[in-house]
Amino acid sequence: MQMPARVRQLLDAYDARAPLEAARTPPSEWYFEPAFAGWENEHVFARTWQVVGRVEQLQRPGDFVTAEVAGEPIVVVRDGVLRGFYNVCRHHAARIVDGAGCARALHCPYHGWTYALDGSLRSTPGFAGAADFEPRDHGLKPVRVEAWEHWVFVCLDPDAPGLDGHLGAMRDGLRPLDLTSARFHERVSYELGCNWKVYVDNYLDGGYHVPFLHKELDGALDTRRYRVDTADRYCLQSCPTSNPSGVRGGATAHYFWLYPNLMINVYAGLMDVNLVVPVAPERCIVHFDYYFTGQPAAFRHDSIAVAHRVQMEDAAVCESVQRGLRSRSYDAGRLAPGKEAGEHLFHRLLHAGLSAG
Ligand code: FES
Ligand SMILES: [Fe+2]
């Protein structure tokens, strides 16, 4: 696909070479132009490793999970090894399996074609007499799949670097934190009326909005000691948390963001992982996956309730920003040098990724 002229103009309108002190945000059309969103699907979401499930969902033979990546239906199944496929029937393109579960074979609900767990086509009811029809040429189309820590990733681009290259230096950044002892508890999903990048920008503003928008959260963080560290493809924001006795400097909250849309938030005894999935130029879904290390139910319940209140505040402001980006009065803004380095990294990585195609 050729880069649409409007996308070219919008990329040229962003100066990726400007240092943080002089940088501007991308032009607002990046956040609602449909051609731009289409280009992002092809050059960001179809070319990077995307989380589609958790390793613990794929333990037994036949366990499967489904997801959408770059608008494509995907299934990953445990067949000894993990295998990923386009979840699209080779007959008339129906989606084969939904949700997650365990199956002996992948059975299309439309006309009953059945695929083995290795993707090969095993049965085609009522298909006798088809000329030059080779079942072995009609297996499911594979996609790359790899796992790291708790997560299963797929990549639709056969030429992209492996998952290790995608994770880059974040692997080492996360190493001091023990993620393996955390156990998945539940997923809470939110659909927001904003472009996915508005949500990521909000996440990456270095705690700038916390004292103003999140009064409750602000009391739990020592925001004077908020830090932002950026590396190749990730940003770590960290902040000491104040404990209930008012003594500061106990535990530290770590907020890891990996380009383009994954956030791993680690606190004492709790991890929540956010995945931001675009569903339309001005809509996205944000999944919150909560993990705990064996705390009592009351702690788990309270932690999720606090996170929900914070998320409601973020959701409202993200939708307000989306409307503002549409205003004829606004095109681009500036970045706070002491805080918004993560956003600057995000915008430059996006610019590079989108220009490369
Ligand atoms: S579309 Fe799957 S069997 Fe016809
Ligand atoms: Fe927030």
Side-chain angles (χ1 to χ4, degrees), residues 89 91-94 108 110-113:
C89 186
H91 179 227
H92 286 180
C108 180
Y110 196 2
H111 310 99
W113 283 27

Side-chain angles (χ1 to χ4, degrees), residues 191-196 277-285 319 322:
E191 185 161 351
L192 272 58
C194 70
N195 181 271
W196 70 279
V277 182
V279 292
E282 297 183 82
R283 290 203 85 72
C284 64
I285 292 178
E319 294 185 347
Q322 187 68 37

Side-chain angles (χ1 to χ4, degrees), residues 199 202-203 205 209-210 213-214 217 310-311 313-315 317:
Y199 192 87
N202 173 65
Y203 181 91
D205 78 2
H209 71 274
V210 171
L213 192 67
H214 305 309
L217 176 63
V310 172
Q311 170 65 1
E313 293 162 350
D314 282 323
V317 85

Side-chain angles (χ1 to χ4, degrees), residues 130-146:
D132 298 328
F133 177 76
E134 283 290 351
R136 69 169 166 272
D137 297 334
H138 290 77
L140 294 176
K141 296 278 189 188
V143 299
R144 299 165 73 190
V145 50
E146 287 190 50

Side-chain angles (χ1 to χ4, degrees), residues 200-337:
V200 176
D201 285 343
N202 173 65
Y203 181 91
L204 288 175
D205 78 2
Y208 195 4
H209 71 274
V210 171
F212 308 102
L213 192 67
H214 305 309
K215 299 274 192 288
E216 181 186 7
L217 176 63
D218 188 42
L221 292 174
D222 184 1
T223 47
R224 289 166 312 171
R225 294 200 285 152
Y226 205 105
R227 280 183 59 124
V228 178
D229 297 287
T230 56
D232 52 352
R233 300 163 62 79
Y234 87 96
C235 171
L236 167 60
Q237 303 175 87
S238 56
C239 188
T241 55
S242 41
N243 70 30
S245 63
V247 181
R248 294 185 178 250
T252 298
H254 295 87
Y255 308 96
F256 287 87
W257 165 80
L258 177 67
Y259 173 79
N261 62 334
L262 179 65
M263 297 134 179
I264 301 175
N265 308 306
V266 189
Y267 320 86
L270 161 64
M271 169 164 77
D272 88 71
V273 177
N274 314 142
L275 187 66
V276 189
V277 182
V279 292
E282 297 183 82
R283 290 203 85 72
C284 64
I285 292 178
V286 186
H287 298 297
F288 277 63
D289 288 344
Y290 293 95
Y291 298 72
F292 294 95
T293 50
Q295 291 82 357
F299 176 88
R300 300 196 299 258
H301 179 270
D302 290 352
S303 306
I304 293 172
V306 169
H308 175 73
R309 290 197 291 275
V310 172
Q311 170 65 1
M312 292 288 83
E313 293 162 350
D314 282 323
V317 85
C318 285
E319 294 185 347
S320 142
V321 165
Q322 187 68 37
R323 286 188 294 274
L325 290 169
R326 281 269 189 190
S327 167
R328 73 193 74 212
S329 72
Y330 188 89
D331 180 47
R334 296 291 302 270
L335 297 170

